[in-house]
C-alpha cells in the first residue's frame, strides 16, 4: 500500500463462476458475460499478509459505488447484496 507490490488487488475476492448469455438480435448477435464472485469472504492464496476480510464500512462504500457509477454512465461491477 503506497508502493507497487508486484500484483494488483488485495486478494479478497473469490470467483464462483461466469454466466454468458447469447442474444440473437436482428441487427447483430451479442454475447454478454457476468462474473459471480464473493468479496471479503476470507483469506485467499493472493491476500498477502491480510486476513482477507472486508469491514462493514468498506463493504457499504463499495456497494454504494456499484449503484452510483452505472447511474452516471460509467460501466462498473454491480453488487447483488451486502
Amino acid at each position: 500500500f503506497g508502493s507497487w507490490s508486484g500484483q494488483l488487488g488485495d486478494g479478497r475476492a473469490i470467483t464462483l463462476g461466469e454466466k454468458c448469455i447469447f442474444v440473437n438480435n436482428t441487427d447483430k448477435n451479442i454475447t454478454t458475460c457476468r462474473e459471480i464472485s464473493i468479496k471479503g469472504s476470507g483469506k485467499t492464496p493472493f491476500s498477502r499478509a491480510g486476513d482477507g476480510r472486508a469491514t462493514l464500512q468498506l463493504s457499504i462504500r463499495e456497494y454504494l459505488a456499484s449503484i452510483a457509477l452505472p447511474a452516471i454512465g460509467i460501466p462498473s461491477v454491480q453488487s447483488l447484496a451486502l
Side-chain angles (χ1 to χ4, degrees):
F1 305 110
S3 63
W4 173 250
S5 64
Q7 68 184 40
L8 299 175
D10 54 11
R12 290 185 291 126
I14 299 171
T15 300
L16 299 176
E18 184 177 42
K19 175 70 176 173
C20 293
I21 301 169
F22 177 73
V23 178
N24 189 1
N25 196 339
T26 56
D27 297 336
K28 58 185 173 181
N29 296 328
I30 301 170
T31 302
T32 180
C33 296
R34 299 288 185 251
E35 181 180 311
I36 301 169
S37 61
I38 300 172
K39 193 163 186 190
S41 57
K43 195 170 182 73
T44 69
F46 304 103
S47 50
R48 299 190 291 262
D51 63 1
R53 298 203 175 149
T55 63
L56 183 59
Q57 180 181 5
L58 175 62
S59 299
I60 291 171
R61 184 174 57 226
E62 288 185 11
Y63 179 75
L64 292 174
S66 77
I67 295 170
L69 289 175
I72 60 173
I74 300 171
S76 179
V77 299
Q78 293 181 339
S79 298
L80 294 175
L82 178 63

